[in-house]
Amino acid sequence: MMRPGKISEAVYKRLFLNGIVEKNTQKICQSAGIGVDACVHRAIGGVCPVTSAATVTGITKKIGVFALYRAINSLAAMGAIGKSIWVSFLFPDWFWESDLKGEIEQLRDAAAELKTEVAGIYAESVTGLLKPMITISAYGETGEKEWVTPRQIKAGMDIVMTKDAGTEGAVMLAFEREEELLKRFSPAFVEQIQRMFDRISAVKEAEAAVRYGVKAMHAVGEGGVFGALWELAEAAGLGLEVKVREIPIRQETVEVCEFFQVNPYQIPSAGSLLIVTEEGHRLAEEFTQRGFCAAVIGRITERKERVLFQEEEKRYLEPPKMNELLKGLTENKVGG
């Protein structure tokens, strides 16, 4: 029996990489895989089509918009601009038409803000489904020589992180478990967390990074910052050293995660990018001057050890496991 959440890295390699992805050579420049969340296809007239997909379930509010930003962020992390999306929306039979309409309208408005067209929507009511599930397949384009890849990462390069750890997960918890939060925090505090929803796009930062000439980017996803760091190193076939205290995180996120007893570094963080470059401090400074939040959190190493330094403690990263956010969404444990 398999555990809930994203399948383990070992199972993914055994079933998919060895059986399917590694055989793709003729029509694909860069296959999706661990640390690479989009696929770059062979150029047509100097333009490389790029595709990605994102699935979100376990929540009921703004589910389509969360999935949209994850899919578009994955394109952006490859240096591509999103052009269109295809939506597959499965929802419980207790869903009302008004619920469906509200979710689709929110998705349509968010896509319009990203200048991304909705190519089509498939929707189906499913008996026995407990929570809605949405998958968004995104199509984008980049120049033939403009896309970035972990293949360019070398030892000694800096790791720059944009925005903050755990923001997406904290926002999801603030919407889904609002009643529990209001028993501990003021309405103004909960509303402040929900407003952080506007921080889950990574498009502007990715576009700026491409212009700067970065070597690789990785959108922080379900496994949180710790999971994304592992995936980035795995994709490059190298190691890394990261100082946990340098990872940006908002106090609101810390308090929400403490309340629901989840690790803020292991919950979804759409909107954050891990950027690898030879001039990390210079990039972080330029981003800050442009109004972007960015910080150098570590570096790539020749050794394959993935090391975290927290004060005087040294410990090792592990492959991403069960989505920590599921604990906060489904378990009744709360702190405070």
Side-chain angles (χ1 to χ4, degrees):
M1 176 177 282
M2 309 205 49
R3 293 184 299 180
K6 191 175 181 180
I7 64 172
S8 70
E9 182 177 306
V11 173
Y12 183 84
K13 287 181 177 179
R14 186 165 62 248
L15 295 183
F16 302 110
L17 289 187
N18 295 336
I20 299 176
V21 174
E22 291 181 352
K23 295 181 180 179
N24 295 333
T25 56
Q26 296 184 356
K27 299 180 180 179
I28 295 175
C29 298
Q30 173 72 71
S31 298
I34 297 169
V36 183
D37 295 326
C39 173
V40 182
H41 303 260
R42 293 290 178 186
I44 303 173
V47 175
C48 287
V50 185
T51 55
S52 69
T55 297
V56 175
T57 188
I59 61 174
T60 58
K61 299 177 181 178
K62 298 184 181 293
I63 183 172
V65 186
F66 281 112
L68 169 68
Y69 278 113
R70 286 190 188 181
I72 296 299
N73 288 346
S74 293
L75 294 181
M78 297 298 289
I81 297 174
K83 297 294 184 179
S84 63
I85 59 171
W86 176 270
V87 183
S88 177
F89 194 5
L90 305 181
F91 51 91
D93 54 10
W94 49 260
F95 237 50
W96 291 90
E97 182 177 335
S98 57
D99 297 324
L100 183 60
K101 179 181 178 182
E103 291 296 329
I104 295 302
E105 286 181 347
Q106 290 176 4
L107 175 58
R108 181 197 61 201
D109 293 344
E113 288 183 12
L114 291 170
K115 298 179 180 179
T116 302
E117 295 185 7
V118 179
I121 298 176
Y122 173 81
E124 180 180 347
S125 174
V126 180
T127 301
L129 192 66
L130 299 179
K131 291 287 183 70
M133 175 184 298
I134 191 164
T135 297
I136 290 185
S137 302
Y139 168 82
E141 295 176 346
T142 185
E144 186 173 6
K145 298 181 180 180
E146 294 177 3
W147 56 280
V148 296
T149 170
R151 297 172 186 168
Q152 302 182 78
I153 297 176
K154 297 179 181 179
M157 290 183 175
D158 295 320
I159 304 171
V160 177
M161 178 178 160
T162 65
K163 290 204 171 83
D164 326 287
T167 299
E168 181 192 15
V171 172
M172 285 180 168
L173 289 168
F175 279 118
E176 293 298 311
R177 303 196 66 179
E178 183 177 4
E179 289 185 13
E180 290 96 325
L181 281 173
L182 288 172
K183 294 176 182 177
R184 170 66 175 82
F185 302 101
S186 69
F189 178 83
V190 176
E191 184 180 345
Q192 183 177 349
I193 300 167
Q194 292 173 343
R195 284 201 304 268
M196 295 192 322
F197 186 80
D198 62 8
R199 296 179 64 80
I200 64 172
S201 171
V203 172
K204 291 181 179 179
E205 290 89 341
E207 290 177 348
V210 169
R211 289 194 295 270
Y212 186 82
V214 304
K215 299 302 181 183
M217 293 183 282
H218 183 39
V220 181
E222 275 196 12
V225 176
F226 285 172
L229 285 167
W230 174 275
E231 293 169 348
L232 182 69
E234 189 71 13
L238 295 167
L240 53 77
E241 294 179 350
V242 168
K243 294 181 179 179
V244 176
R245 68 181 180 184
E246 300 298 332
I247 298 176
I249 187 167
R250 296 172 71 99
Q251 184 60 32
E252 298 96 325
T253 298
V254 173
E255 294 190 37
V256 169
C257 289
E258 285 182 349
F259 183 72
F260 289 112
Q261 299 180 28
V262 297
N263 188 328
Y265 301 104
Q266 293 178 278
I267 61 174
S269 192
S272 292
L273 290 171
L274 297 179
I275 302 174
V276 181
T277 177
E278 294 170 333
E279 299 179 319
H281 292 281
R282 182 177 173 184
L283 175 63
E285 183 178 345
E286 288 199 14
F287 267 32
T288 300
Q289 291 176 353
R290 295 186 184 200
F292 299 144
C293 173
V296 177
I297 64 172
R299 66 187 185 91
I300 302 294
T301 62
E302 188 69 42
R303 302 184 308 276
K304 290 194 176 182
E305 295 178 334
R306 290 90 196 247
V307 183
L308 296 174
F309 293 98
Q310 192 162 15
E311 302 302 333
E312 301 299 323
E313 181 185 1
K314 174 183 176 181
R315 61 192 184 94
Y316 296 92
L317 271 175
E318 297 180 351
K321 297 180 180 178
M322 175 180 173
N323 183 353
E324 182 84 355
L325 183 66
L326 291 177
K327 291 164 50 179
L329 291 172
T330 61
E331 296 183 5
N332 292 322
K333 293 190 302 182
V334 293

